[in-house]
Amino acid sequence: MQNPFDGDNNEGPNGLPVPPNYATVTKADNGDIRIGKVGFSFTAFIFDFWVPIFRGDWYNFFCIAGIELGVGMGFYSIHFTNIQVQASWYSLVELALKLLWGFWYNYMYFRHLFNRGYQPATQRSKDVLANKGYLPKWLK
């Protein structure tokens, strides 16, 4: 297959190319491969807590759901003068949470994979993860 991306990044399953801002991690004991984007997660920004459900990332799902529920319950415990003001402020809070998950979800996903025993599959993936600060100190 012709590589549509620049460079030698054929580290996907069966040698398929991955985009330059993606990293591949593997688990040594069972050979499980995970490929994920490094940087801002537009899917987490748009689809919120559905992303960890579809990735089978239950740890981060419960983290996101807990924070969203806590912020929502705390927000609705505040007394507002009318419902329009409350709805306006809640939409701003919701946008702030979506931006938070957009910037942080991929970082949380890779960190959880590293805690479960995954390692960067290639030196290119290790470099991509290290440049964005995703690698823990014990893995560098």
Side-chain angles (χ1 to χ4, degrees):
M1 167 181 229
Q2 184 178 6
N3 188 347
F5 310 110
D6 292 334
D8 185 28
N9 53 356
N10 296 329
E11 58 189 55
N14 298 324
L16 291 174
V18 295
N21 58 340
Y22 280 64
T24 305
V25 294
T26 59
K27 195 167 187 178
D29 59 355
N30 63 2
D32 189 21
I33 298 173
R34 299 286 174 107
I35 301 171
K37 183 179 179 196
V38 177
F40 188 81
S41 174
F42 287 100
T43 54
F45 175 72
I46 295 169
F47 298 113
D48 224 6
F49 62 87
W50 291 101
V51 177
I53 290 174
F54 292 132
R55 286 187 181 179
D57 185 16
W58 298 107
Y59 175 81
N60 286 323
F61 166 73
F62 287 117
C63 289
I64 290 172
I67 290 172
E68 295 242 351
L69 285 172
V71 168
M73 289 189 319
F75 184 81
Y76 279 111
S77 69
I78 300 171
H79 178 70
F80 287 92
T81 55
N82 61 27
I83 194 73
Q84 287 83 14
V85 173
Q86 183 178 19
S88 298
W89 278 103
Y90 188 71
S91 65
L92 289 175
V93 169
E94 193 174 68
L95 177 64
L97 284 173
K98 285 183 171 282
L99 283 170
L100 174 75
W101 303 136
F103 281 107
W104 276 78
Y105 177 70
N106 286 336
Y107 177 80
M108 293 183 340
Y109 178 66
F110 275 110
R111 280 301 184 102
H112 184 64
L113 289 177
F114 294 142
N115 289 335
R116 290 179 48 205
Y118 284 81
Q119 302 284 328
T122 64
Q123 185 62 38
R124 190 199 70 80
S125 287
K126 189 173 185 178
D127 292 341
V128 168
L129 291 165
N131 288 339
K132 287 288 189 170
Y134 281 35
L135 282 179
K137 290 181 182 177
W138 55 267
L139 197 56
K140 289 183 180 179

